[in-house]
Amino acid sequence: MNLDDFEQHIEPAILKRGRDYYKSGAVVSLREMGDGVYQAEVRGSETYTVDVELDGQGGVAYTVCDCPYNLGAHCKHQAAALLALRALKEGKAEGGQTKAMRGGTAKPRPASREKNSLRADITELLGGQNKEDPIRLVCEIASEHTEIARRIKPRLGARDAKDEVRNAAALIRACVKRNADQDGFVDYDRMGDALAGADQVLDGARELADAEQPLRAAALALCAIREVTVLLDGSDDSDGYVGDTVECAFDLIRKAACAQSLSPVEREKLFELLSGESALPVYRNESEKRLALLQACAELVLHEPALRARLEETLTSMRDAIKRSAWDREYFEEQLEMIRYRMIEKLDGEDRAAAFIRERLGYSKFRQIAIESAIGSGAYAEAVGLALAGEEQDQDKPGIITRWKEYRFQAYRLAGNIEELRKLAVDFILGGSFPHYHELKKTYGTAEWLNIYPGVIRSLEDAQRTGLSVYADILIEEGEKQKLLEYVERDASRVTRFYRHLLPEHRDAVFAIFRRYIELAAQRAGTRNDYKTVCAIIRNLKKAGGREQAEAVRRALAEKYPKKPAFLDELSRV
């Protein structure tokens, strides 16, 4: 697959979730680690690392994520990272960042800049009026527009906190209802307007947070999450607005939990509010939201240790419940244990935290922490042992196994264990990793390498891995043009990607492969888009220097397919 068509290789449900992550700003960083090698950090309930290697022609040679997902070849974090990488490659980036890398701040709704400008103008106008005139004007407008009245009521008409939340829920529901069809479905082009009520509620929550009223701010943010989750379940959120809204609400909740202005009584109330919310049926299939609520509870515990026993009880009951029902049980259990670990690390000290990790090495996150700790302290043999045990334990999770091998490779390099480093590098190369070819090459001198790399090529051939892009990358790297020509001849479609590396030595052979590829594509063509693809290949032949050959094949196709007017039309444009 490549950056242009990877969507065709990812399950639709996974792709949709990945697109939601990308559009909501979950790709918090995207770095180029080497030539064609990228690493992205994607934030969900945890921050996961996605590695991507490109083959120089836009092909995705290798990608892996360290999340626990093992039900398919790709996860939502990889899908989000690939979307971000494509945006970066296509130049849809500012200052080296794609839109998805800004993280934590929702993208503006359509026309938000215009609204901000209007707000500034109105503020200036009202500043010059006496108090009675604006009040009279607002009353007149509200009497004519019920929606504006609904927006005013939650901000000014609440008698107490419960009333404030009820009014907020009514506003959110009214906006959703007005933009939904008769079955309650909201189409993607109406989603921004449908969420206007939730935006208003969150604006009010921010004002409360700024006024050092975090408990009321959190209650409104919870209301927004709950209502949006229920009302817009199954609606078309192609632009990712729902994810933006929910993430902004959780940001407010996290800030409320960390607020220094909270009294012990308020912390207890907020704890009860969050833990009670996490147990609601609406979140039964929303594990990431439940985890985010419990993580906020843990933040409260760090400031108020007296709440710890109650959170432990909640975590235990939730773990018992998911053992019976949740399809993603292992992942959810791991996240619950990570919440416990953070409390132990902060409240019980390093020794207890280290023991807690050792007792939970069956979870990949804890094994990762243990390996990184060993590497950080120079205990490379221990790190290798932990990684090897992880490879044995996680045989059914190829993405996780690759992560353990990466750690083992790092430990070998830092320990100066060249022999084991070389063996593992070859293993990675056979799996399709070109960066590890460069790592292997660094361990040899120039003269010695001339005797080594042919063996690596033979290993790929013997293992029948020549279909991997790393095979062609190595041939190009080492100038093996004859082998590259044989590689392209086995699949004529490869010629458009590799012809530049075969010229001028194999000019006639390249032109012959182009002609074969064009004729095969023409035989299969049946739609206007297919015909355009054939003509694009002919143009590539012209770029390769085969202008006469391109004209000859164009004429031959026109004579062969005289009853395909759409094809003839496209051929006339070449």
Side-chain angles (χ1 to χ4, degrees):
M1 66 180 182
N2 57 57
L3 287 180
D4 294 328
D5 70 356
F6 67 84
E7 291 97 329
Q8 301 173 22
H9 301 268
I10 300 176
E11 293 180 18
I14 297 298
L15 181 62
K16 182 181 185 303
R17 297 193 73 185
R19 186 173 284 114
D20 290 345
Y21 264 43
Y22 167 62
K23 291 182 176 179
S24 67
V27 183
V28 295
S29 71
L30 178 58
R31 301 184 297 275
E32 187 168 8
M33 311 301 288
D35 187 16
V37 182
Y38 297 84
Q39 187 174 88
E41 290 186 343
V42 184
R43 184 179 61 203
S45 55
E46 294 288 333
T47 298
Y48 294 106
T49 301
V50 178
D51 295 323
V52 180
E53 178 201 341
L54 301 182
D55 62 9
Q57 304 293 328
V60 180
Y62 174 79
T63 176
V64 67
C65 177
D66 63 355
C67 79
Y69 179 77
N70 66 344
L71 298 179
H74 303 95
C75 67
K76 60 189 176 184
H77 311 104
Q78 288 169 290
L82 289 170
L83 287 164
L85 182 54
R86 181 166 65 192
L88 186 66
K89 288 291 186 180
E90 290 177 350
K92 298 176 181 178
E94 299 172 11
Q97 289 188 326
T98 69
K99 294 178 181 178
M101 291 164 58
R102 294 170 187 162
T105 303
K107 58 181 176 294
R109 305 276 188 255
S112 61
R113 292 180 181 176
E114 181 182 353
K115 289 179 181 178
N116 290 336
S117 177
L118 287 172
R119 180 180 293 180
D121 292 343
I122 291 171
T123 300
E124 183 178 353
L125 288 171
L126 291 177
Q129 304 295 319
N130 60 48
K131 183 178 179 181
E132 289 75 15
D133 288 341
I135 292 175
R136 186 164 51 250
L137 177 61
V138 169
C139 290
E140 289 176 3
I141 294 173
S143 66
E144 296 173 5
H145 301 279
T146 57
E147 181 56 40
I148 292 177
R150 288 194 186 99
R151 290 170 63 179
I152 293 172
K153 188 176 178 183
R155 305 287 287 277
L156 304 177
R159 296 184 298 275
D160 54 31
K162 290 183 178 179
D163 195 31
E164 188 172 53
V165 171
R166 280 194 293 270
N167 289 341
L171 173 60
I172 294 171
R173 293 169 188 172
C175 288
V176 171
K177 183 177 181 180
R178 189 174 66 251
N179 290 279
D181 62 19
Q182 59 184 6
D183 297 318
F185 179 84
V186 179
D187 204 356
Y188 80 96
D189 60 348
R190 303 290 298 172
M191 189 61 74
D193 292 332
L195 288 168
D199 287 345
Q200 289 292 319
V201 169
L202 293 178
D203 283 344
R206 290 187 190 92
E207 291 178 7
L208 289 169
D210 292 341
E212 296 191 350
Q213 298 188 60
L215 191 58
R216 288 174 62 193
L220 287 180
L222 283 174
C223 172
I225 294 170
R226 184 169 56 253
E227 294 298 326
V228 165
T229 298
V230 173
L231 296 172
L232 297 176
D233 181 40
S235 291
D236 188 348
D237 186 35
S238 298
D239 288 330
Y241 289 153
V242 172
D244 288 345
T245 299
V246 170
E247 183 56 35
C248 286
F250 272 118
D251 278 345
L252 284 166
I253 290 169
R254 286 188 282 267
K255 290 174 183 176
C258 297
Q260 298 297 318
S261 61
L262 283 171
S263 68
V265 172
E266 287 175 324
R267 281 201 179 91
E268 184 173 3
K269 287 182 178 179
L270 182 53
F271 179 89
E272 291 173 350
L273 189 65
L274 296 175
S275 61
E277 185 80 13
S278 71
L280 293 178
V282 65
Y283 302 111
R284 183 172 291 120
N285 297 316
E286 298 281 349
S287 61
E288 291 185 359
K289 291 176 185 174
R290 294 172 77 186
L291 287 167
L293 291 167
L294 293 173
Q295 286 160 356
C297 287
E299 190 63 40
L300 290 165
V301 169
L302 298 181
H303 295 279
E304 202 66 41
L307 298 170
R308 183 174 181 176
R310 291 164 64 178
L311 179 56
E312 289 282 4
E313 184 179 344
T314 299
L315 294 174
T316 299
S317 63
M318 195 162 288
R319 178 174 177 171
D320 291 342
I322 63 172
K323 281 183 178 179
R324 297 190 299 270
S325 60
W327 66 268
D328 53 352
R329 181 177 67 250
E330 183 178 345
Y331 166 74
F332 200 55
E333 284 181 356
E334 180 183 64
Q335 298 307 309
L336 294 177
E337 292 301 293
M338 284 299 297
I339 293 173
R340 282 195 169 99
Y341 167 68
R342 290 193 183 96
M343 289 192 294
I344 291 171
E345 184 182 33
K346 296 291 185 182
L347 301 175
D348 298 341
E350 292 182 4
D351 291 344
R352 179 68 189 97
F356 189 85
I357 290 171
R358 288 194 297 271
E359 294 163 3
R360 286 158 180 79
L361 292 175
Y363 296 114
S364 62
K365 274 294 177 185
F366 288 95
R367 186 173 295 276
Q368 180 175 334
I369 293 170
I371 293 173
E372 290 178 353
S373 176
I375 290 176
S377 63
Y380 303 126
E382 180 185 350
V384 168
L386 287 165
L388 284 169
E391 292 171 42
E392 179 67 25
Q393 170 187 286
D394 297 318
Q395 292 184 29
D396 60 337
K397 301 172 184 174
I400 299 297
I401 287 179
T402 300
R403 177 61 58 190
W404 301 146
K405 287 182 177 180
E406 288 282 9
Y407 278 120
R408 189 152 57 92
F409 192 85
Q410 182 181 355
Y412 289 147
R413 183 173 60 238
L414 292 171
N417 191 337
I418 300 300
E419 182 179 353
E420 292 299 329
L421 183 78
R422 287 171 174 173
K423 290 179 184 177
L424 190 52
V426 171
D427 188 33
F428 272 114
I429 294 166
L430 292 176
S433 175
F434 190 49
H436 287 91
Y437 182 80
H438 285 138
E439 291 291 337
L440 178 64
K441 192 172 183 177
K442 290 176 187 175
T443 68
Y444 291 95
T446 303
E448 189 179 9
W449 180 246
L450 295 176
N451 297 318
I452 297 298
Y453 84 79
V456 178
I457 293 174
R458 283 194 299 273
S459 295
L460 285 164
E461 292 170 343
D462 292 343
Q464 298 183 338
R465 301 293 178 87
T466 57
L468 297 175
S469 61
V470 67
Y471 180 74
D473 290 336
I474 293 172
L475 298 181
I476 293 168
E477 170 97 358
E478 306 301 344
E480 292 283 347
K481 292 195 174 186
Q482 182 59 44
K483 277 187 172 291
L484 183 62
L485 177 62
E486 294 168 4
Y487 172 77
V488 173
E489 284 178 331
R490 289 196 293 271
D491 182 350
S493 67
R494 295 167 177 162
V495 70
T496 57
R497 293 175 58 190
F498 298 112
Y499 73 84
R500 295 178 183 86
H501 303 288
L502 295 169
L503 299 175
E505 291 88 344
H506 300 287
R507 180 176 179 276
D508 292 341
V510 166
F511 292 167
I513 296 170
F514 257 115
R515 177 146 193 160
R516 177 159 55 92
Y517 180 32
I518 292 166
E519 290 172 349
L520 286 171
Q523 289 174 16
R524 297 167 182 164
T527 67
R528 173 75 73 165
N529 284 336
D530 292 339
Y531 303 146
K532 288 180 178 179
T533 299
V534 174
C535 293
I537 302 169
I538 297 174
R539 293 187 182 96
N540 275 325
L541 174 54
K542 291 174 69 175
K543 289 179 183 177
R547 182 173 295 275
E548 293 180 5
Q549 292 80 359
E551 178 60 21
V553 74
R554 187 191 70 80
R555 289 176 180 169
L557 291 177
E559 293 175 4
K560 187 173 182 178
Y561 300 103
K563 296 182 180 180
K564 291 186 176 182
F567 196 7
L568 295 174
D569 179 50
E570 293 298 330
L571 287 169
S572 70
R573 302 169 189 267
V574 175

